[in-house]
Amino acid sequence: VATPESGIDYETAVLMNIYAQVNPSVVNVQIFQENSSLHNGGLSGIDQDDLLEVGGGSGFVWDTSGHIVTNQHVVEGADEVHVKFSDGTTSIAKVVGVDIDSDLAVIQIDPAGYNLQAVKRGDIDQVRVGMRVAAIGNPFGFEGTLTSGIVSAIGRTIPSRSRYSIPDSIQTDAPINPGNSGGPLINEKGEVIGVNAQIRSEDRANSGVGFAIPIAIVERVVPSLIENGRYSYSYIGIGGDTFSPLCSEELGIDPKLRGALVVDVMPRTPAAKAGLQSGKAYDSHYPGVCPSSKGSDLITAINGQPVASFDDVLIYLTRFTSPNDTVKLSVLRDGEMLDVDVKLSARPE
């Protein structure tokens, strides 16, 4: 952590240190598409005059081999990708791999002639609410912009661009705007703890509620995108809800217990093959709080790790498991505790 110099307060020194350390690793990602009204379809290849800039975002250098991390939605539909570094140098990049479920993508440039500085990566388990964070990116096309704030919340589950959710995400009040997508969220040590991806706003401008994909997911997905061009998630095949003590009398469950209720078991999935059970429909006195099914299995732990919410199941599966792994679920069923082994499959598209 930076220490104050003469005449510079502590917070200023920290932010100046973060910017000096990380900004050389941050790039402006420019996306071009073929202008079909100009391009002669009978010619092979794409002429530069036939390209239109249609969007962009941010990214950061992952390694000295030229791999750069950004968002999947930043490069979606690109016919050509350009990256621009903080020193003004530019390069053409190719898309190496994308993962729509985590909204992550890897692009790559030829590293010859570039002084690439890979970012340092932090530890999601060290992230706490209230920690100082900074974001560097290209909001509205203004390159190399630094904003700062705090971690507003952790463990958020946010929607992805597919039908699956992104668990364990970081909420921040550091100003995040269009163009920041794909850029790093950084702790005060200058380590990347997330990839800025979403804002909640009525007018697509910062409203103090931004979200970053956690580094724990990034570190699992990115190496696979580099090696295979894709990433395969483990899949259990349940829909669920978090048990509330308010529902204890209706559901016949001890109010002191915590866990994830299995309210739906998809057919022909690992959960179905392992015999997990969802309950029967009933009319709850607390709709919206209590699940609409009664008699569901209650998952209280996964591989010995306590489960307090349905999100805890999603987080564990995403962070610690792969397809074909077997997990042991501790399950309360009809007042009896059981251990249920589930062999996970690959998540269907």
Side-chain angles (χ1 to χ4, degrees), residues 83-340:
V83 297
K84 186 176 182 180
F85 292 87
S86 60
D87 62 2
T89 57
T90 60
S91 177
I92 295 176
K94 64 177 181 179
V95 178
V96 173
V98 298
D99 177 42
I100 191 172
D101 289 352
S102 64
D103 194 18
L104 291 172
V106 174
I107 58 179
Q108 185 178 22
I109 69 166
D110 181 349
Y114 294 89
N115 182 24
L116 299 180
Q117 298 183 40
V119 296
K120 295 190 297 183
R121 307 197 289 269
D123 181 357
I124 192 66
D125 291 327
Q126 301 301 315
V127 177
R128 299 288 185 272
V129 174
M131 286 177 57
R132 183 188 357 249
V133 290
I136 302 177
N138 306 283
F140 303 110
F142 293 104
E143 301 169 10
T145 297
L146 172 73
T147 57
S148 67
I150 62 168
V151 173
S152 303
I154 55 177
R156 295 295 196 204
T157 296
I158 60 176
S160 73
R161 296 174 63 80
S162 70
R163 66 190 180 102
Y164 300 102
S165 299
I166 306 173
D168 213 16
S169 298
I170 302 169
Q171 180 182 332
T172 179
D173 70 347
I176 306 294
N177 287 290
N180 277 112
S181 293
L185 187 69
I186 311 153
N187 65 17
E188 66 175 15
K189 296 180 181 180
E191 299 167 335
V192 175
I193 58 171
V195 178
N196 299 315
Q198 297 182 16
I199 57 174
R200 295 293 169 88
S201 174
E202 296 297 324
D203 57 4
R204 296 188 70 246
N206 171 64
S207 58
V209 183
F211 298 96
I213 302 159
I215 190 64
I217 291 180
V218 179
E219 288 191 315
R220 286 182 68 90
V221 172
V222 167
S224 181
L225 294 184
I226 292 173
E227 183 175 353
N228 305 312
R230 61 186 301 275
Y231 180 76
S232 183
Y233 293 84
S234 59
Y235 179 69
I236 193 168
I238 60 173
D241 206 345
T242 298
F243 170 67
S244 168
L246 184 64
C247 312
S248 60
E249 186 174 350
E250 285 190 5
L251 300 179
I253 297 175
D254 186 338
K256 295 179 182 179
L257 289 176
R258 296 293 180 267
L261 286 162
V262 179
V263 298
D264 193 14
V265 178
M266 291 31 160
R268 300 180 301 278
T269 63
K273 294 174 183 177
L276 287 180
Q277 298 181 10
S278 58
K280 297 181 179 180
Y282 80 109
D283 294 325
S284 171
H285 294 300
Y286 305 101
V289 177
C290 299
S292 58
S293 58
K294 189 174 183 180
S296 300
D297 284 347
L298 179 71
I299 301 172
T300 61
I302 179 169
N303 283 347
Q305 183 76 25
V307 168
S309 68
F310 188 70
D311 280 354
D312 287 345
V313 177
L314 299 178
I315 290 170
Y316 189 92
L317 292 175
T318 303
R319 288 181 60 180
F320 302 114
T321 68
S322 300
N324 297 317
D325 286 353
T326 297
V327 295
K328 185 180 294 294
L329 302 180
S330 299
V331 173
L332 177 69
R333 179 184 299 165
D334 298 329
E336 182 181 358
M337 289 300 304
L338 307 170
D339 286 334
V340 179

Side-chain angles (χ1 to χ4, degrees), residues 60-72:
F60 55 89
V61 177
W62 183 259
D63 57 33
T64 55
S65 296
H67 294 110
I68 293 168
V69 173
T70 186
N71 283 145
Q72 179 271 337

Side-chain angles (χ1 to χ4, degrees), residues 67-81:
H67 294 110
I68 293 168
V69 173
T70 186
N71 283 145
Q72 179 271 337
H73 77 260
V74 169
V75 299
E76 185 176 30
D79 290 318
E80 190 164 289
V81 180

